[in-house]
Amino acid sequence: MNFKVVDDGFSSNSAYNKLVDRIDAKVRALAAQYPGASHKFTAGWLEHTETHKACSDVAYRLMNDGTISDVRFNHVYAYERPAQDRADGAAFVLNIPGSHMKIKRNAMYAYNTWDPSRNLYALGYHSVPELMEAAHADPREFVHTLPSGYRPGKGN
C-alpha cells in the first residue's frame, strides 16, 4: 500500500520520530477500518533503509499497545542472497502458487511505475533493480517475527 508519507526521517532523531508518527497514524487508521486484519511490514531491523526500520518500529508500537495482533514481517533484502540462502533466519517461508504469482508481480510493479502525480517514483527498480528482479522471479516470501530483543529507534 502506498501511504503517500513524506520519506524524510534521515536527518535527525526528531525527523525519524516524526516519520514513525506519520506511518503510525496511517496504520492505526487501517486497523480501525479493518479490525482483526493481518498486517505485513518490512523486516526493518534487517534492512538497509531507515524508512523500513520506521515501519518495523510502528509495528512494534502497535503490537505492544494492542492495536494490531496478526503481524508478519517480510525480509525484502533476502533477495540479495543466492536462492538457496534466502530463507536463512525466516520464521517460515510462504510458497506462492504459480496461479498467484501474477498478484505478487502486480504488487511489485508499484516499485517500477513512474507517475509523480500519484506519488509513484519507481524507486525500487531505480535503486535495486537486481533485487527487484530476483523477487519478481522467486515464488517465495520470507516471513520473520520481531526478535526478542528488538529496539525501536533510528539506527537501532
Side-chain angles (χ1 to χ4, degrees):
M1 168 169 281
N2 183 351
F3 283 162
K4 298 180 182 177
V5 171
V6 177
D7 189 8
D8 64 351
F10 312 109
S11 62
S12 67
N13 285 334
S14 175
Y16 179 82
N17 292 335
K18 287 177 184 177
L19 173 61
V20 170
D21 288 343
R22 287 192 301 272
I23 297 167
D24 179 297
K26 297 284 188 172
V27 177
R28 280 185 194 278
L30 285 172
Q33 185 176 359
Y34 303 103
S38 179
H39 297 269
K40 313 311 188 272
F41 295 86
T42 183
W45 66 95
L46 298 171
E47 307 290 351
H48 302 292
T49 72
E50 289 181 340
T51 304
H52 291 185
K53 178 62 166 67
C55 291
S56 293
D57 284 0
V58 168
Y60 176 80
R61 180 189 292 178
L62 299 181
M63 289 168 59
N64 283 326
D65 75 10
T67 300
I68 58 178
S69 58
D70 184 356
V71 180
R72 297 176 191 148
F73 298 89
N74 293 318
H75 181 30
V76 297
Y77 283 90
Y79 296 104
E80 287 181 325
R81 301 176 187 158
Q84 70 274 11
D85 297 335
R86 292 177 184 162
D88 291 354
F92 66 93
V93 175
L94 176 63
N95 292 301
I96 302 169
S99 60
H100 293 152
M101 279 300 289
K102 182 177 180 181
I103 296 167
K104 174 183 176 175
R105 290 176 177 145
N106 283 341
M108 292 180 67
Y109 295 147
Y111 297 94
N112 192 27
T113 303
W114 179 263
D115 186 352
S117 69
R118 296 185 324 166
N119 286 341
L120 297 172
Y121 298 98
L123 294 178
Y125 274 95
H126 284 278
S127 60
V128 287
E130 57 287 329
L131 177 71
M132 299 302 290
E133 288 299 317
H136 189 272
D138 197 324
R140 301 172 297 164
E141 291 291 325
F142 309 99
V143 182
H144 292 255
T145 56
L146 279 175
S148 60
Y150 184 81
R151 292 181 27 213
K154 185 179 188 303
N156 289 331

